[in-house]
Amino acid sequence: SPLIDVVVRRPLRRLRAANLFIAGLDAHDEWFRFNHLFRDLLRRQLVRRYGAAEVAALQRRGSAWFAGEGLVEEALQYALAGGEIAGAVAVFARYRPQLMNDEQWLRLDRWLRLFPSAVHADYPDLLLARAWLMHTFSGGILAVKNLLPEIDASLARAEQRRADTRYHRAELDVLRGMLLYHVTSDGPKCLFHTQRALDVLPRDRYLVRSYAWLFLAAGYQLDGERERAYSAISAGTNEDNIPLATARGRSLIAASFLYWLEGDLSAIA
């Protein structure tokens, strides 16, 4: 097994030759399982013989292998067990946009729950994931209102460390634009934040861009610019090339709402 070779640097054939209670789990000799009693004994012996620091190093080594194989949840679990919080966040950040694009909210929530809540404030990716999950599961953008200043402060600290926060700032702009629309009906400020986000976010940040387009259109509608609102809806829909019913449905519902506000019955149909 490549994982055994990476972590313990001992060929699998030596473990088998030593009769270490290994049971194969697949036909390709890639995954194995120890007898559970023997596994528990080995874990106790490992800590006793090598100490916590060496065990943590082994866990980090295993995490790197899992990350390289695209086994994200396992990579996160082993990185965190090895005390490598920053490394775990880096893995989380790499895969978070795709999970959001695919609207795999339950999986994103499960990954986020692996991290101690006490470290969320140190990492904008964790706070932004929490914000989008709250928006999705806890009543929309109003549920996120009190989290936005915390995200802003986390981004400021990251910028002091010279971290690149362009896309994080753009996500925050989208959330602010949504909040401005719903709470203050401030068209110009909603337009400012959503347009600034669209100027920065790459196309592969699809889900966040889709919300930016929708609330850009809403901002124009608030400002009385009907044709520009329709153009924004059209641009966002044309950019919508993800074959998810929920994504396309959200765009169509938002467009219908805009047409309803304008009294454009033929467009609603």
Side-chain angles (χ1 to χ4, degrees):
S1 167
L3 178 58
I4 291 175
D5 294 342
V6 166
V7 174
V8 301
R9 295 171 180 165
R10 180 174 298 173
L12 179 62
R13 62 179 178 273
R14 290 180 59 188
L15 300 178
R16 281 179 155 175
N19 191 27
L20 290 180
F21 306 102
I22 293 175
L25 297 178
D26 68 313
H28 304 291
D29 275 358
E30 291 183 354
W31 293 101
F32 298 84
R33 179 176 59 205
F34 281 116
N35 174 282
H36 69 281
L37 294 175
F38 188 62
R39 179 196 61 202
D40 293 344
L41 172 65
L42 288 177
R43 284 177 174 169
R44 289 195 296 271
Q45 291 290 336
L46 179 66
V47 173
R48 191 173 301 153
R49 180 176 298 183
Y50 293 100
E54 180 64 20
V55 172
L58 293 173
Q59 289 167 327
R60 292 193 294 270
R61 203 180 298 162
S63 173
W65 184 88
F66 279 117
E69 296 296 314
L71 299 169
V72 181
E73 196 157 332
E74 292 85 350
L76 294 176
Q77 289 170 338
Y78 279 93
L80 291 168
E84 186 56 48
I85 293 176
V89 172
V91 173
F92 180 88
R94 188 188 320 157
Y95 289 94
R96 178 175 71 88
Q98 189 58 53
L99 252 62
M100 290 174 56
N101 286 346
D102 295 340
E103 304 207 35
Q104 295 189 41
W105 299 113
L106 292 177
R107 178 174 290 182
L108 183 66
D109 183 54
R110 191 167 66 246
W111 289 6
L112 182 62
R113 289 176 184 274
L114 294 174
F115 292 87
S117 58
V119 308
H120 285 194
D122 296 328
Y123 298 99
D125 272 286
L126 301 182
L127 288 177
L128 284 164
R130 194 164 123 202
W132 288 108
L133 286 165
M134 290 170 67
H135 170 262
T136 302
F137 292 129
S138 301
I141 191 62
L142 295 180
V144 184
K145 180 180 179 180
N146 293 332
L147 188 58
L148 299 190
E150 190 175 345
I151 296 171
D152 198 14
S154 180
L155 287 170
R157 290 192 295 273
E159 286 158 356
Q160 288 177 350
R161 300 192 300 268
R162 299 179 181 269
D164 184 353
T165 64
R166 288 173 300 160
Y167 299 158
H168 303 87
R169 283 281 178 199
E171 281 190 62
L172 181 58
D173 269 332
V174 175
L175 292 167
R176 279 179 169 155
M178 294 162 67
L179 190 65
L180 285 162
Y181 175 83
H182 283 291
V183 174
T184 64
S185 298
D186 190 328
K189 285 186 179 179
C190 178
L191 288 169
F192 171 79
H193 287 287
T194 52
Q195 184 60 67
R196 187 167 68 175
L198 286 166
D199 290 342
V200 172
L201 287 166
R203 288 284 293 269
D204 62 5
R205 300 289 180 117
Y206 165 75
L207 179 118
V208 184
R209 283 185 66 87
S210 72
Y211 276 108
W213 281 117
L214 296 182
F215 282 87
L216 182 72
Y220 280 130
Q221 190 277 332
L222 280 176
D223 234 17
E225 298 193 52
R226 172 179 175 172
E227 294 307 317
R228 296 186 78 175
Y230 284 8
S231 294
I233 283 286
S234 177
T237 302
N238 290 337
E239 191 177 289
D240 178 2
N241 58 4
I242 290 186
L244 279 180
T246 51
R248 183 55 60 108
R250 183 172 53 246
S251 295
L252 293 174
I253 289 168
S256 297
F257 180 69
L258 180 63
Y259 299 142
W260 174 72
L261 289 173
E262 293 294 332
D264 190 340
L265 301 184
S266 61
I268 293 174

